[in-house]
Amino acid sequence: MIGASTRLVAIIGAPIAQVKSPDIFNRHFEDNGLDRAMIAVDLTAAQVADFVAMVRGWQNLDGFVVTIPHKNAMARLIDDLSPRARFLGAVNVVRRHPGGHLSGDMTDGAGFVEALRARGFSVEGKSALLIGAGAAGSAIAQALAETGLAELSIQDIDAMRAKILVAKLAAAFPQCHCAVATGDMRPFGLVVNCSPAGMRDLEPPPVAQSIIEMMPADGLGAEVITSPEHTLFLKAAAARGLAVQTGVEMAKAQFQLLAQAMGIMDGDHHA
Amino acid sequence: MIGASTRLVAIIGAPIAQVKSPDIFNRHFEDNGLDRAMIAVDLTAAQVADFVAMVRGWQNLDGFVVTIPHKNAMARLIDDLSPRARFLGAVNVVRRHPGGHLSGDMTDGAGFVEALRARGFSVEGKSALLIGAGAAGSAIAQALAETGLAELSIQDIDAMRAKILVAKLAAAFPQCHCAVATGDMRPFGLVVNCSPAGMRDLEPPPVAQSIIEMMPADGLGAEVITSPEHTLFLKAAAARGLAVQTGVEMAKAQFQLLAQAMGIMDGDHHA
């Protein structure tokens, strides 16, 4: 139970009720007898700058996770960015140093690749289709390109956004062939939905059935969405007998990365 | 355990580790199966205005309790004040209405008087010595004068602060004789320490032993300080056989008032 001396971390976003981090972190804190808690902060975009200003004086807060739609705004508000956060212009985790200095990282891509590694799926030499060139999609694209992917097709309802991401990746990772997806029918070994399409079960899945049909037998369908855990896209991929990776698996793989980024793994505060 | 949908209230102050409200509120929430939590926010004075700006967009926060040293600053930052909060220029609880409108009250005095009433101690016609004319002391003085106290002597290391409070009370409550304490030895039926003196056990108690010696047998010594629960002043009063009221008793008596002020008693949010 939270008390007056409990040290806090937060996750900020809007909406927030669907995120899994509070359950994962608070279960860890409880299992390890730590006087720590993660709170979920449902925060409107207009107040993100006020939140950052206030956090500088929030002395029992060690850091916070950032989720939709605040990842890009956060990158412009804090003091230091990791190289990958700077490349992506987005931040999903911020550490509050004593005195109020704020440093940020973007671990969505590393978390996604770590989840793939944990299940024994190798991206080296493969071709992938990625849907959604927003903050999470860009981070996953960067991590996949860095990890040895051979080809990456990127699709977004905002064609310019996809084009800009492709150009940035092409410049930074010349060994990975990046292109805007053109609707061509190719057998993608990995299809990742990084768009919010699928958060409501009634929406059409963001991946055409014909794409799923063409995937090789060792192909994998992956999601960033955590709720519902099994989206219509993942259900369609599973129905074809393909392996699937849920957003919840990615969230779990990210736990260590986020905790380290907030500096709460060493010198944990025991109750 | 806190999850992504948990509705929050907060208590802000500096320092914060000594406050009792998180234990009292979180015990109530747990006992009643409510998906609610109170967090303690250790907040520097320089960031109080940023906190207020940010809270307007904190959609799963219903309100917050304010403690030392932010009670006066808060009264200048929010939208609406109750009549007694306006009289005192201080706020100890703020309700966040949907949309971000913030209204405040000052329940320290009512909570103190409620604790007296719960133990059957009547202030009507009595004379009291009050030490500390800060936010809590002013609120308790106002509530005592309103409840029928006959005489009130007010002492503060800042003589001007005591003088200003006396003048305000004299204008508002002509039936209560208020004066700055002059060190005269009179038998006070009620002695209340509202100063921070006593938070560290090594300090000399704020009430002279000679004052305690002169109190009548049905007199009461009371504290606002919650930690240590039994201060040197209360120990000295108890040693003389007088009744004592701790800061923890006042905090418990305030629970209902604070919860109502934050609007979380009706339509409680069940897990």
Side-chain angles (χ1 to χ4, degrees):
Chain A
M1 213 172 70
I2 289 193
S5 318
T6 304
R7 292 204 65 83
L8 300 171
V9 289
I11 176 167
I12 70 164
I16 200 74
Q18 78 292 347
V19 298
K20 301 298 177 203
S21 288
D23 287 345
I24 297 168
F25 274 82
N26 288 325
R27 174 61 55 205
H28 169 81
F29 296 146
E30 191 168 304
D31 288 350
N32 291 275
L34 303 174
D35 188 15
R36 289 190 178 276
M38 174 175 276
I39 59 165
V41 176
D42 187 343
L43 188 69
T44 50
Q47 271 73 29
V48 172
D50 298 318
F51 176 81
V52 170
M54 175 267 186
V55 153
R56 294 181 188 279
W58 189 344
Q59 302 179 98
N60 61 329
L61 187 91
D62 289 306
F64 55 91
V65 176
V66 185
T67 188
I68 289 173
H70 305 320
K71 290 177 182 181
N72 297 114
M74 191 57 65
R76 296 186 292 271
L77 291 166
I78 60 173
D79 306 313
D80 289 329
L81 300 179
S82 69
R84 61 188 173 197
R86 200 174 314 118
F87 175 82
L88 296 162
V91 152
N92 77 324
V93 61
V94 176
R95 177 172 182 169
R96 181 190 182 279
H97 300 268
H101 188 89
L102 302 176
S103 60
D105 195 4
M106 179 64 181
T107 67
D108 282 344
F112 181 83
V113 166
E114 176 54 34
L116 290 180
R117 188 178 298 139
R119 59 164 56 242
F121 184 92
S122 169
V123 302
E124 293 212 2
K126 297 234 168 80
S127 79
L129 171 63
L130 185 139
I131 294 136
S138 299
I140 289 171
Q142 187 268 353
L144 288 172
E146 195 176 54
T147 311
L149 193 78
E151 293 189 322
L152 179 56
S153 291
I154 296 174
Q155 178 184 317
D156 197 284
I157 47 168
D158 178 347
M160 185 52 73
R161 189 157 83 155
K163 207 166 169 179
I164 291 168
L165 178 57
V166 163
K168 283 177 64 178
L169 290 167
F173 304 100
Q175 75 288 3
C176 177
H177 180 73
C178 294
V180 174
T182 52
D184 55 330
M185 291 290 121
R186 287 191 291 135
F188 295 106
L190 174 64
V191 176
V192 192
N193 176 39
C194 303
S195 81
M199 286 182 77
R200 283 166 296 275
D201 256 340
L202 296 174
E203 293 169 333
V207 183
Q209 185 63 28
S210 53
I211 295 280
I212 297 171
E213 297 297 341
M214 286 194 71
M215 289 173 70
D218 66 348
L220 179 90
E223 267 290 1
V224 170
I225 291 170
T226 55
S227 180
E229 185 167 356
H230 296 278
T231 59
L232 291 178
F233 161 50
L234 291 189
K235 283 178 181 167
R240 237 222 66 198
L242 298 171
V244 297
Q245 177 173 299
T246 68
V248 173
E249 288 175 67
M250 174 181 158
K252 285 184 180 160
Q254 278 221 77
F255 164 72
Q256 290 283 341
L257 300 172
L258 295 173
Q260 278 161 9
M262 292 188 287
I264 64 170
M265 293 308 275
D266 302 322
D268 260 332
H269 182 70
H270 283 267
Chain B
M1 214 175 68
I2 289 193
S5 318
T6 304
R7 292 204 66 84
L8 300 172
V9 289
I11 176 166
I12 71 164
I16 199 73
Q18 79 290 350
V19 298
K20 302 297 177 204
S21 288
D23 288 346
I24 296 168
F25 274 84
N26 289 324
R27 173 63 55 208
H28 168 81
F29 296 148
E30 192 168 303
D31 288 350
N32 290 276
L34 304 173
D35 189 14
R36 290 190 177 276
M38 174 176 275
I39 59 164
V41 175
D42 188 344
L43 188 69
T44 52
Q47 272 73 30
V48 172
D50 298 317
F51 176 81
V52 171
M54 175 267 185
V55 153
R56 295 183 188 278
W58 189 343
Q59 300 178 100
N60 61 328
L61 186 90
D62 289 305
F64 55 92
V65 175
V66 184
T67 189
I68 290 172
H70 305 321
K71 290 178 184 183
N72 297 114
M74 190 58 65
R76 295 187 292 270
L77 291 166
I78 60 174
D79 305 313
D80 289 329
L81 300 180
S82 70
R84 62 189 172 196
R86 199 173 314 116
F87 174 81
L88 296 161
V91 153
N92 79 325
V93 60
V94 176
R95 176 172 183 170
R96 181 191 183 277
H97 300 268
H101 188 88
L102 302 175
S103 60
D105 196 2
M106 179 63 179
T107 67
D108 282 344
F112 181 82
V113 167
E114 176 54 34
L116 290 181
R117 187 178 299 140
R119 62 162 55 241
F121 184 90
S122 170
V123 302
E124 294 210 2
K126 298 235 167 80
S127 80
L129 172 63
L130 185 139
I131 294 138
S138 300
I140 288 170
Q142 187 269 351
L144 288 173
E146 195 175 55
T147 311
L149 194 77
E151 292 190 322
L152 179 58
S153 291
I154 297 174
Q155 177 183 317
D156 195 284
I157 48 170
D158 178 348
M160 187 50 74
R161 192 157 77 156
K163 207 165 168 179
I164 290 169
L165 177 58
V166 163
K168 282 177 67 179
L169 290 168
F173 304 99
Q175 76 288 1
C176 178
H177 180 72
C178 295
V180 174
T182 52
D184 55 331
M185 291 291 119
R186 288 190 290 136
F188 295 107
L190 174 65
V191 176
V192 193
N193 176 38
C194 304
S195 82
M199 287 181 75
R200 283 166 296 274
D201 256 338
L202 296 175
E203 292 169 332
V207 183
Q209 185 64 29
S210 53
I211 294 282
I212 296 171
E213 296 298 339
M214 286 194 68
M215 289 174 70
D218 66 348
L220 179 92
E223 268 289 1
V224 170
I225 290 168
T226 55
S227 180
E229 186 167 354
H230 295 277
T231 60
L232 292 178
F233 162 49
L234 292 189
K235 284 178 183 167
R240 239 223 65 198
L242 299 170
V244 298
Q245 176 173 300
T246 67
V248 173
E249 287 174 69
M250 175 182 157
K252 285 183 181 162
Q254 278 220 78
F255 164 73
Q256 291 282 341
L257 300 172
L258 295 173
Q260 277 161 9
M262 293 187 287
I264 64 172
M265 294 306 278
D266 302 323
D268 260 328
H269 182 70
H270 283 264

